[in-house]
Amino acid sequence: MSSRTIDYYTSMGLIEPSERSAKNYRLYHDETLARLKRIEQMKLEKYTLDEIREALDGWSKITPEEQVSQKLTDLQHHLSQLEREVKELEPVIKQLKPRQANRLYTRLMPQTAACIEALMLLINKGNFM
């Protein structure tokens, strides 16, 4: 990550240096790197700066167990949303010609399989079941 990006997030109040070096360089803790990664991921997901700030404030006020629980709840919400969207697409897909539908499925299946596998690994690793 560039120092320019770090300066920007610092100026926006999203991260703070833990201290200054003898030559007045800003120094950051390891937790700040995790926070920066979260910020970058949220930017990719099209969150606004206010939404990012609010989410980060919320994360800093809850325990790791609550963080995992909230994230799993968010995942469940996203899965429910995806399920609704797929059901909305079913009538459209049924109207496709077999060759069109096959191309569509071929393109989507690797990504879908990878997502399902990642979720299963997470669930099995966390002993949620």
Side-chain angles (χ1 to χ4, degrees):
M1 187 160 313
S2 74
S3 62
R4 194 172 177 174
T5 301
I6 293 171
D7 288 344
Y8 174 73
Y9 292 142
T10 302
S11 71
M12 296 303 296
L14 295 174
I15 61 170
E16 293 180 17
S18 58
E19 57 187 290
R20 294 262 183 183
S21 71
K23 294 191 178 202
N24 208 27
Y25 288 105
R26 283 178 250 165
L27 303 174
Y28 297 90
H29 284 295
D30 291 337
E31 295 86 30
T32 304
L33 180 59
R35 189 175 174 97
L36 285 169
K37 287 179 182 179
R38 271 191 239 136
I39 292 168
E40 286 295 304
Q41 183 59 41
M42 292 178 82
K43 275 182 56 182
L44 289 173
E45 294 171 3
K46 308 293 186 208
Y47 284 84
T48 66
L49 282 175
D50 287 335
E51 291 170 327
I52 292 171
R53 186 176 291 110
E54 184 178 312
L56 291 173
D57 288 345
W59 276 88
S60 64
K61 294 176 185 172
I62 60 175
T63 66
E65 183 179 314
E66 291 171 319
Q67 290 176 8
V68 170
S69 178
Q70 180 60 47
K71 198 60 172 172
L72 289 172
T73 300
D74 291 346
L75 282 172
Q76 181 60 48
H77 174 75
H78 289 302
L79 287 171
S80 297
Q81 178 65 30
L82 287 171
E83 190 175 345
R84 283 192 299 275
E85 290 176 15
V86 167
K87 285 181 181 179
E88 289 174 10
L89 282 175
E90 280 180 310
V92 176
I93 291 171
K94 285 180 181 177
Q95 292 177 354
L96 293 175
K97 295 178 182 173
R99 181 177 267 170
Q100 291 172 318
N102 193 24
R103 262 186 298 173
L104 181 68
Y105 288 129
T106 302
R107 207 171 70 218
L108 289 177
M109 289 314 280
Q111 295 151 336
T112 304
C115 182
I116 291 169
E117 186 176 348
L119 286 170
M120 292 305 294
L121 285 170
L122 175 66
I123 289 169
N124 290 332
K125 192 176 196 178
N127 297 320
F128 296 117
M129 300 186 124

